Amino acid sequence: MKIESLFRLKGMIRKEWLQIIRDPSAIAIAVFLPIFLLLIFGYGISLDAKEVPLAIVVEQHGQATDSFIGSFGANPYFTPRHMGSIQEAENALKNAEVDGIVWLQHTFEQEYLAHQSPPVHLIVNGGDANTARLVEGYVQGIWANWLNQEARLSGRKMNSPLQLEQRIWFNPGVRSTEFLVPGVIAVIMTLIGSLLTALIIAREWERGTMETLLVTRMTVIEMLLGKLIPYFGLGITGLTISLLMGRFVFEVPMRGSLTIILAASVLYLLVALAMGLFISTIARSQFVAALAAMIGTFLPAFILSGFIFDIRSMPPLVQGLTHLIAARYYVAILQTLFLAGDIWPVVLKNSAALLFMGVLFFTLVILKTNRNLEQQ
Amino acid sequence: MSARLHALIIKEFLALFRDKKSRLAIIIPPIVQLLVFGYAATFDLEHVNLAIWDEDHSPISRELSARFSNSTAFELVGHVDNGQEASTLINTTQALLVLHISPQCSQSYHQGESCPVQILIDGRNSNTAMLALNYVRDIISTYNADLLEELPNRILPVQLEMRARFNPNLVSRWFIVPGIVALLGMIVTLLVTSLSVAREREAGTFDQLLVTPLRLWEILIGKAMPGLVVGVAESSLIILITVYWFKVPLLGSLAALYAGLTIYILAIIGVGLMISSMSTTLQQALLGAFLFIVPAVILSGFATPIANMPKFMQTMTYLDPMRYFLIIVRRVYLEGAVLTEFGHQLWPMTIIAALTLTAATWLFRHRMY
Amino acid sequence: MPAENSSKQTVAPLECTGVSKEFTVEARGIKALEQVSFTLKKNMVTGLIGPDGAGKTTLMRLCMGLLKTSAGSLSVLGFDPLRDRNTVLAKVGYMPQRFGLYQDLTVQENMDLYADLQGVALQQRGERYAQLLDMSGLTPFTRRLAGNLSGGMKQKLGLVCTMIRPPQLLLLDEPTVGVDPVSRRELWNIVYHLVEEEGMAVMLSTAYLDEAERCREVILLHQGKVIGQGTPSSFSNQVQGRTFQVQAEGEHKRVMQKKLARMNQVQDALILGKSLRVVTEKGQTLDSKDFPGHDVQVHAVPPRFEDYFVATLKTKHQKGGQAITLHTAIQESDSAVIQVQDLVRTFGSFTAVDHVSFHVNTGEIFGLLGANGAGKTTTFRMLCGLLPISSGSCRVAGMDLRTASAQARSRIGYMAQKFSLYGNLTVGQNLKFFASAYGLRGKHQKRQMQWAISTFDLDQYLKTESGMLPLGYKQRLALAVALMHEPDVLFLDEPTSGVDPLARREFWTHINSLAEQGVTVLVTTHFMEEAEYCDRLVIMAEGNLLAQGTPEEIKADNSDREGATMEDAFIHLLEHNGAAQ
């Protein structure tokens, strides 16, 4: 009995494998889709504002204004554009030619010399709130630096009682690519794992081969394993490509150990496969399965996993919802392992959640899969 | 309009709406996506976990700590006593940032020197880190100014005054939510048009249609109409929700919005029909739609600005109709722009629409099987 | 096979006692099987005969434990298919209608897969493979992908895969559907062989009534109920003395058929080449004296199973069918309406249609005959302008439909192989749409729609979604749509495939009356008997024309004996053709 079971499993695996290698679309999803998505996301999504066009309006030049304005030119974040009047600058802001205006009024120099604390006006285009915030932050930094520099030069006592010293851990260059690429990998693993598996069982139903499989003595476990193992291999291929591209094309550091990254990825891949199988036990047509996989796994992995939009920024209700999304745990593990290193509490906590979801979905799949044609 | 065309359009609508599943598929997922996106897609920070490492224990350090923990941006999760504890909290993501006030702080202040205040911040999500730093800077600047006022002859030589046009409180939802009009308008239109021909091919009804005296352009118009009507209607529904549910101000002219929307939807219909003409099964059509939607959304500047992309990608964005419509939507909502301001967006979209529709017609004629 | 234990001697291979099965479709209960009871006998082929939807597939699925009975009990080799599932699965072979061949695997790989799945030990495989491949004639093709096999070879491979582990009971669900007559004959030979050599019981379902006579015993199933069980002759004997062959000189066969159908004593009249086959009402006979003033010969002929089937199930309502009357008369002309010259169509390196030429005259029923994959449908689609031609020409009423004006297309009617109207539109909406699409409007449109509704008896279904219609009504609706605009030329692609024999007769009554009114009909079919209804026909195989002519000519040219059927002629042709290659 045991031997027969192995035979059946071997037969299924070989069959799936032959089908994979003869169907170019499966290979395309496993090999080309990761490359395509990584390139699109890796290059297309960036939250780092650099060379932001900034209008500079100085109504009356003087020593202080020139020194202040000078500090913008040396900054990599900004491309200053000098403008004659505030009206001109406001128009440029409206037409999205510049993202902000630094405006020094004609009284600036005079008031500065008279120690009257003249204002530097910063006007940003709030339409893109995120960019606006970043511009504000950069300008604040420049302003604070300039104040200290002025104080040192003039030999005056401190101007700011408290001086901010920031230490950004794990990503001192603040490159958004470094946290986006691990997220992209999670999205790709979801797509390969869930979409492909959701389709393969639906395909057996559509082509009528399922009825024949059901009248062999194959057990549910054998059938599921027979499907899982080859597609697991395919998922690993996609994973390897993604990891290599992340490391060598996008130059994301890998501070954690490769073994743990692989182990966590294997765990997540199994969960994704289980979700795909679950969808396929409900949907008997490839079309419905594909739609369900998109809406049920891909979109949440995209929006609710913390991949682009930080979960910490979401309202509490939505944050609660994200706990149901397997991708969120994997994104957390990957971001930590790539950028921070082997931090066990993070890895273990999230892995436990993944393990739970995996067991849950596999149990559901086994319970829902029956060996007859009765509709449930 | 000829009677044949009229009958064809009626048929297309019946085919789309008599099916309960497709009726639901057109209405429910977009609304759910709108709500999830509207709430989940935000770059604004609230209640960010913060820990305080106060080695000074002076009135100044206590006041600073209080200002942090009273801010809505931060949520105090605890005090730590040493660097080890601080790094554990950050490493395990229990705290996003730790405020470190060194022992000599109040002493240096009273001696007239700057007191260094250290912020340790988790950079794993660099965007969140940058945003949190902005809040930190705000608090420290304000406190600095307050402290200076208490001291004689100590004023800031220069102040920084910040204002934001069009979105004074920098609510990122005001930026994301109008974009969803463009996003969902595209998804729904593309699905309706790209799947309709594939569905007829699978059911064999497309042959039946081709042997009738209907002309090819009539069939194409018949196929385009549901996309246009559903796309515009669905977008209108989303516009209503954004204004009345999410309370995003809609300041500009509806004429500009709808002119842009119509041309945009036509361009997408062209793409949908191209996908249709090239796919023989529903699955191919679905894959085609997916392969168009993903890059189109990313390159449009929907989630992150086009200006942040590498140069070659910025050039590619000119081919993306969503890029232009996104500018129209955002400027009409927040800046109150009117039709005459959108010349530079409308003509490229018109050209794209003309090209995609022509290409679709050509493909249908030449690749009928 | 090793000697089986004694239980085999006593236990029937299959025993049904009061089996019922109900399905719920859209909250309505549908009775697929009702109180079905029978016992299968050992060592013979039992035919499960019945029209589409009779419950044949449901019954087989119940036997395999794929479905649960709603009532009654089933015993398969003495076991309960649900409780002793694994035992049943190990002892019973089942070949579903769409057997689960993996098209992207080779013949050998498919066999290996099923050997693995059925737990056949490695050392037993070599011998078994050789034996089965030899029997099925698949030995030369082991390295070919299953998807590239012909329909007949696919079915044979399906049977081989089912048989890799020798079962005691074999269930075959419509194994001969869409298979050419040669392969059909070979399949039957394999089945007989299995019964003799391996001593298994076989239950085979089929909708082809002529196959009933190849079974030792027949179970006739209709609308979920067993009508009878017995040898085929025990059925046909019940209509003994009521079957006649009628041949009329100087009368067109279709005129004669119409005449016969109107006679009181005639229950059914069927065209068979030049003559007609008639079944009379119970207790009635037919004689040439019944046709005063005509040169009509009437011979009594031995009854067939089909005669019994028709006599028992044909209701009065269906008798004769309604004749169609078109509003506008079609102008007669002597020239050919359809002209096909050296037509070629290639797909890559594969030639689907290879230099085919024929022509069809006005008012003719012209048949395009051949097995699946013979190139019929490809030819047909090129004629309708749905597929570009590679070389040669095909003209309909002097035009190439692919480039002809849209208006020209309104002269043709088209009915596709599978139901291809809008399934989620109601019958009324479909009629209205196609009426408008063909440019009918106003009063004229209303009149034509009314005509279609009453002619095809669609009144009761006007508001029903056409996808939910019973199969026979779907086909009526499709024909109504193809005819509403009164085309001169009617294209029908396998119009009767999957339709039960009664509905098929009714359908042909419609076609006959159209042809009488001058409509030219081009029809493709793989039913050999339907070839007899045609005025002229061509037989295609592998893209080539094998024969062309009237049914009589083809039968006479391709058979060595008197009274040969079209199927005999077809097999002769194919074998001859194969030898030539």
Side-chain angles (χ1 to χ4, degrees), chain C residues 43-148:
Chain C
N43 293 333
M44 60 161 76
V45 185
T46 305
L48 189 60
I49 315 277
D52 242 51
K56 304 188 294 288
T57 300
T58 306
L59 183 62
M60 295 212 169
R61 286 179 172 171
L62 286 172
C63 294
M64 296 309 286
L66 289 169
L67 294 172
K68 294 173 189 145
T69 52
S70 307
S73 72
L74 261 172
S75 156
V76 180
L77 299 163
F79 298 97
D80 182 303
L82 284 177
R83 237 190 2 259
D84 309 310
R85 179 98 191 261
N86 279 336
T87 320
V88 169
L89 292 183
K91 292 177 190 256
V92 182
Y94 167 54
M95 180 167 145
Q97 206 166 350
R98 287 170 67 198
F99 183 78
L101 288 178
Y102 291 93
Q103 315 283 324
D104 37 9
L105 264 58
T106 63
V107 170
Q108 184 67 48
E109 284 160 356
N110 268 297
M111 286 170 62
D112 286 339
L113 171 67
Y114 284 101
D116 283 337
L117 294 182
Q118 291 168 0
V120 178
L122 280 175
Q123 58 270 27
Q124 289 168 11
R125 288 186 193 180
E127 198 192 332
R128 186 73 183 158
Y129 282 0
Q131 183 194 358
L132 289 169
L133 284 171
D134 182 50
M135 191 163 68
S136 60
L138 286 171
T139 318
F141 307 109
T142 48
R143 296 171 68 85
R144 195 180 282 191
L145 290 184
N148 295 342

Side-chain angles (χ1 to χ4, degrees), chain A residues 119-354:
Chain A
V120 171
H121 294 280
L122 170 66
I123 302 160
V124 290
N125 184 340
D128 181 350
N130 195 50
T131 306
R133 280 244 166 79
L134 293 176
V135 170
E136 282 188 1
Y138 294 147
V139 172
Q140 259 183 328
I142 290 174
W143 169 71
N145 276 341
W146 183 76
L147 285 182
N148 285 327
Q149 192 188 321
E150 279 295 290
R152 261 203 311 284
L153 287 176
S154 65
R156 276 196 299 206
K157 287 265 173 181
M158 63 152 179
N159 295 312
S160 43
L162 303 175
Q163 199 182 349
L164 181 65
E165 200 180 279
Q166 64 202 41
R167 280 180 50 198
I168 302 175
W169 289 13
F170 312 129
N171 189 357
V174 226
R175 282 178 65 217
S176 60
T177 313
E178 297 195 359
F179 80 91
L180 289 172
V181 167
V184 175
I185 294 178
V187 169
I188 292 170
M189 299 308 290
T190 312
L191 205 60
I192 296 181
S194 302
L195 186 64
L196 275 185
T197 6
L199 291 180
I200 49 170
I201 293 194
R203 188 174 61 190
E204 301 253 5
W205 282 113
E206 259 180 21
R207 296 193 182 164
T209 47
M210 188 55 103
E211 187 169 350
T212 319
L213 289 184
L214 288 175
V215 297
T216 65
R217 278 183 299 163
M218 189 165 44
T219 63
V220 170
I221 305 274
E222 284 160 14
M223 182 164 77
L224 295 180
L225 280 179
K227 297 258 165 209
L228 273 182
I229 294 170
Y231 282 88
F232 181 75
L234 216 53
I236 293 291
T237 313
L239 177 73
T240 314
I241 293 171
S242 307
L243 290 180
L244 288 175
M245 277 183 73
R247 183 73 194 87
F248 295 107
V249 178
F250 295 103
E251 296 174 342
V252 179
M254 245 184 234
R255 303 207 172 92
S257 80
L258 191 61
T259 322
I260 304 173
I261 292 179
L262 286 177
S265 302
V266 165
L267 180 62
Y268 180 68
L269 190 56
L270 287 174
V271 178
L273 289 169
M275 291 192 295
L277 284 177
F278 180 67
I279 290 170
S280 70
T281 55
I282 300 169
R284 286 190 181 175
S285 82
Q286 295 195 70
F287 181 62
V288 177
L291 273 185
M294 287 285 198
I295 293 171
T297 63
F298 176 72
L299 277 180
F302 204 93
I303 303 167
L304 296 175
S305 68
F307 144 54
I308 301 181
F309 303 107
D310 201 324
I311 295 173
R312 290 168 288 205
S313 312
M314 297 174 190
L317 188 72
V318 181
Q319 285 197 27
L321 199 65
T322 63
H323 285 282
L324 303 175
I325 311 296
R328 103 162 248 174
Y329 304 107
Y330 184 49
V331 169
I333 296 178
L334 273 195
Q335 286 184 352
T336 296
L337 287 176
F338 271 82
L339 298 175
D342 299 338
I343 296 167
W344 284 105
V346 175
V347 174
L348 290 180
K349 196 178 74 186
N350 288 297
S351 301
L354 281 181

Side-chain angles (χ1 to χ4, degrees), chain C residues 15-28:
Chain C
E15 202 171 350
C16 295
T17 328
V19 170
S20 297
K21 175 69 192 171
E22 231 178 273
F23 291 106
T24 319
V25 178
E26 310 233 314
R28 271 178 312 178

